[in-house]
Every structure is written in structure tokens, then in C-alpha cells.
Amino acid sequence: MTETAPAPLSVRGRPAAEAEADVIIVGAGPAGSTAAYYLAQSGLDVLLLEKTAFPREKVCGDGLTPRAVKQLTAMGVSLEDKGWIRNHGLRIIGGGVRIELPWPDLAEYPGFGLVRTREDFDEILAERAVSAGARLLQRTNVTGPVVDPRSNRIVGVTAKNPDREPVTYRAPLVVAADGNSSRLSVAMGIRKRDDRPMGVAVRTYFTSPRHEDDYLESWLELWDNSEGREVLLPGYGWVFGVGDGRSNVGLGILNSTSSFQDVDYRSLLRRWTAGMPAEWGFTEENQDGKIRGAALPMGFNRVPHYTRGLMLVGDAGGMINPFNGEGIAYAMEAGRIAADVVVQAHARPTQQARERTLLSYPRILSETYGGYYTLGRAFVKMIGNPELMKYATKYGLPQRTLMRFALKMLANLTEPSHGDAMDRVINGLSKMAPAA
């Protein structure tokens, strides 16, 4: 529910002006911190509000493709410390086949991926935003929007500070980077679309000799026999070496089958890891932490991405890639796009001109990802057919050229121009497909 609030309150004894900003960003995950970095770097006064305190854990596979590495490099993040574990590509296992595919050799993206746990990954990005000039307030839980009753636009947010006292922050523009549930978006009347794919991911850590694996590993066959019969689920399992003595082991399932709601994902993960070779150490004794799960909002499942002074980035806007469940790269890319639009809008001389510029944000997202995400939705429906999935696994995996094409397609790694034949096909299909 929206509410109208009084004039800005002071923030823990500081002047009321410090509770005002050019832009408020709710959520200091990859999307919010990236947007904050570029906005602050452009000279805008940015207030970044985070409900928890760093370091904090977050459910994730911890794997980063070259798309995400490109964004980290652009933000000046040093990749030299030992917490960054480099990988050379993707190892795919299924249908009795094991194939290793190096990341594509492209000018547009680096030739390596990374693994880093979210325990400090998000903090690194938030620190970059602060170094650029953003003001980060941790343990500040946003409770709702402040809406101007005359214009019906969001003009700030209400929150509770670390002492659980009510505070109000004001800005002419607010960015919702508050994740899948995005309470701020819901309060502004922006709800999820039921015609977009949704996934569930569960993961845990195991102490394992595989912790320094230099390939991301994906298992394409996930069988559920909890109902007394084996059902092939649409999704994949993963094993990502974290480099600190542990492996991140998890699975992601899509909602494209009728059994989606009935699967006990944590039990499925336990059964899956129980079938792994004993020497890998994926046992209860070696488990480090609980099995934790999270929803994966895909293919722009919440729109519009801008309305009435509120912009959506990352999971709040359902920006996860439907092909592979990757979210961090797209969250960071959208954060950068949003920042560029806001900077341009801020420079316009009139409110009308500023609003026209802000309204270009959904169009830019649609032009950038819309066709590709539409193809992703079609892919989700296809792999929801168990027979088709079994056929593709059996006959597709042994074909190395086909799998190289699949890697480029699923990871969205192509040259935008002057690429090879595979790049031209993928880019052409994305342009031909109607926008998501």
C-alpha cells in the first residue's frame, strides 16, 4: 500500500538534507550496487539502502560467466586476489556423455569465467559504489514508497533504521533492486506475470577435493522418483569449485512441468548427491551449511520496468536468463543501463523531457534482451517435455559442433557484429523473435 509521508526526517541525528538524494536505490545486490556505482561516478547524489549488513550469505550457484566478468572489469574490480577462482568453460554431463566446452573466443567478452561466493561478492560491488561516492546505509529496511498525491509518483521511501526507528528518505527517482519479492514494486502496483517462466534453485556446500575444478560442471539429467516412478525434470544440477576447500553443489528446476509444485527440492538434492562418487565427498558429514533455496524470476516476469518515478533492475524486474538461470550478469548490465538513462534524464531541462528519457528504459531493455528472452521462453517449454529432453540429451550431446552452438546460445555469448556463422544465426534469431 502506498502512503504519503511528511517532510524528511533526520537520519540518526544528521541534518534532514542527508535524508535526500538525487536517486534512492533499494537493495545493494549486484543490480543495485552497479547502478549506484555508475550514478555516483556521474556525479549524482545516490543513497543506497540495504536491509541486511555485509558480509551476508545469498543463495546462488556462485558461478560467473564471461558476461559477468566483463561487468566486473568495467567497474574496476580487481580479480587478482585468491577469492576469485577462474574457470575455462563448461563441462556438461548427461546421457552417458561427458563433454568440456571452453568459453567462446570473443572480442566482446573475456575468455574466462569466475567463481566467488556471494558472502563477499555483493560487498565488493557495494564497496565500489561507495568508492565512487554513493552513500550506503546498511540494516535499513525499506517499508514502503512515499507517493506524491498530486502527481501519483513515488518521491521517496519509508524505512526503519538500524535502531528500528521510522525514517523517510526522499528523491525524485527510486530504483527497486530489492530482489524477487520486490515489496516496493508490489506496493506500487507492479506485480508478476504468470506467463513468464519461474525457476527454483537449491544449493549447499561440501568440503571436497573438487574445490579447485577449473570448469563449471552441469548435469543435464535430474530424475525424480519420489512418486514411485522416474520423471525427468526440466533443469540441471551443478558442481562449482569455490577454491577454499569447498564445492557449491546445487540444482535448478523450471516450472514448465505439472510436477513442479510437488517436487521436494531439498530431498532431490540429497538423493542426487548420494549417487555421486564417494571420493568427491558429497556426504552429510562433509556438508557445510544447510540446503538453502531461492526463486529464479525469468524473462521479464515483472513489468513495466519504469513507471511513475520507479525503475526496476535485476531480480525485481525478472531479468534472469531463461536459458541457463544466470542472473548476476544481467542484473549488472541492467544496473548500468538504468544508470545511463537516469544520468541522461537528469540533464534534461524540463520535467517532461526527463520523463520522456526515463520512459526509454523499458524500450532499451526490450531491444537488448526482448527477442533473446522470447527464445528462452520457447526453450523452457521445450525442455518441459521429458521425451524431447531425453532425445536431445542422447543425440545432441555427442555432437561437439552442435554443443558449441548450444553453449553460445544458452550463455548468450556472441559477437554483436562480425562474428562467425553461429553468432550470426543466434543474433538473427534474437532479432527476429518478438520482444518479451
Side-chain angles (χ1 to χ4, degrees):
M1 177 182 290
T2 58
E3 57 184 291
T4 303
L9 304 175
S10 62
V11 182
R12 304 196 70 184
R14 293 180 296 177
E18 294 193 25
E20 298 177 347
D22 294 322
V23 184
I24 291 171
I25 299 177
V26 180
S33 290
T34 302
Y37 170 80
Y38 286 107
L39 287 167
Q41 197 177 53
S42 298
L44 297 189
D45 182 13
V46 182
L47 192 56
L48 181 59
L49 307 179
E50 168 59 38
K51 67 180 180 180
T52 63
F54 294 115
R56 58 157 166 73
E57 187 181 21
K58 200 153 189 185
V59 177
C60 186
D62 300 332
L64 304 167
T65 70
R67 285 192 80 97
V69 178
K70 177 179 179 177
Q71 295 305 312
L72 291 169
T73 303
M75 287 179 64
V77 174
S78 172
L79 305 179
E80 298 306 316
D81 76 71
K82 63 181 181 181
W84 299 103
I85 305 302
R86 297 197 179 202
N87 57 72
H88 303 308
L90 181 67
R91 180 184 305 116
I92 302 175
I93 297 172
V97 177
R98 180 181 184 273
I99 182 172
E100 288 187 350
L101 300 168
W103 295 120
D105 182 15
L106 304 171
E108 183 74 9
Y109 300 101
F112 63 94
L114 295 166
V115 173
R116 182 139 192 163
T117 69
R118 295 292 293 276
E119 186 173 10
D120 66 351
F121 176 83
D122 291 15
E123 185 176 14
I124 290 170
L125 298 189
E127 287 173 349
R128 293 300 299 154
V130 170
S131 71
R135 293 183 284 143
L136 170 65
L137 298 182
Q138 302 181 59
R139 293 171 54 220
T140 301
N141 188 18
V142 171
T143 54
V146 177
V147 176
D148 186 321
R150 294 169 298 177
S151 64
N152 199 31
R153 292 174 61 88
I154 188 170
V155 292
V157 297
T158 56
K160 289 186 178 180
N161 66 16
D163 296 326
R164 305 296 296 168
E165 299 168 343
V167 290
T168 300
Y169 304 100
R170 288 183 175 267
L173 185 74
V174 177
V175 177
D178 51 346
N180 170 59
S181 59
S182 191
R183 291 195 299 171
L184 191 59
S185 301
V186 173
M188 288 290 289
I190 309 174
R191 301 188 178 275
K192 294 178 183 176
R193 295 182 57 162
D194 294 332
D195 61 342
R196 293 293 186 263
M198 177 66 75
V200 170
V202 292
R203 68 98 176 97
T204 190
Y205 295 95
F206 291 100
T207 301
S208 171
R210 298 199 57 196
H211 71 102
E212 291 185 318
D213 193 347
D214 59 359
Y215 268 74
L216 300 180
E217 186 169 282
S218 176
W219 293 60
L220 297 189
E221 290 181 302
L222 292 176
W223 295 92
D224 179 31
N225 58 4
S226 59
E227 299 296 324
R229 60 187 181 88
E230 285 200 324
V231 176
L232 182 61
L233 300 173
Y236 66 92
W238 69 77
V239 179
F240 298 163
V242 180
D244 62 358
R246 300 178 299 163
S247 292
N248 181 316
V249 183
L251 53 86
I253 306 293
L254 294 160
N255 67 344
S256 53
T257 63
S258 57
S259 60
F260 176 79
Q261 300 290 345
D262 303 323
V263 177
D264 182 339
Y265 303 101
R266 288 169 174 79
S267 177
L268 178 62
L269 179 59
R270 293 189 191 97
R271 293 196 301 273
W272 182 57
T273 53
M276 299 291 193
E279 60 268 23
W280 292 0
F282 297 161
T283 63
E284 187 175 350
E285 299 78 36
N286 291 334
Q287 186 174 326
D288 181 13
K290 298 179 179 179
I291 297 176
R292 300 186 61 198
L296 302 176
M298 299 176 172
F300 293 160
N301 80 330
R302 184 182 278 117
V303 291
H305 289 120
Y306 171 76
T307 182
R308 298 158 50 209
L310 182 70
M311 301 183 85
L312 277 56
V313 293
D315 285 6
M319 297 181 181
I320 291 177
N321 181 350
F323 279 105
N324 66 357
E326 180 182 12
I328 290 176
Y330 299 93
M332 296 180 71
E333 289 174 8
R336 188 172 187 175
I337 292 170
D340 183 61
V341 170
V342 172
V343 169
Q344 294 300 321
H346 188 76
R348 300 296 188 265
T350 66
Q351 175 60 36
Q352 184 180 20
R354 287 192 288 271
E355 187 67 10
R356 187 165 58 245
T357 302
L358 291 170
L359 286 168
S360 70
Y361 174 62
R363 175 180 54 78
I364 294 171
L365 289 178
S366 180
E367 291 172 353
T368 305
Y369 306 112
Y372 178 77
Y373 279 2
T374 295
L375 295 176
R377 296 206 315 273
F379 173 78
V380 167
K381 290 181 180 178
M382 286 173 55
I383 66 173
N385 183 328
E387 293 304 316
L388 180 60
M389 185 71 173
K390 282 189 284 188
Y391 184 89
T393 302
K394 181 178 179 180
Y395 295 103
L397 279 179
Q399 307 300 318
R400 191 170 183 86
T401 300
L402 177 62
M403 293 311 297
R404 284 182 52 239
F405 176 86
L407 177 64
K408 283 194 168 193
M409 183 78 172
L410 271 61
N412 199 9
L413 293 172
T414 63
E415 300 284 17
S417 60
H418 307 294
D420 61 16
M422 292 183 184
D423 295 346
R424 293 194 294 272
V425 170
I426 294 169
N427 294 340
L429 289 172
S430 298
K431 289 178 182 178
M432 291 169 55

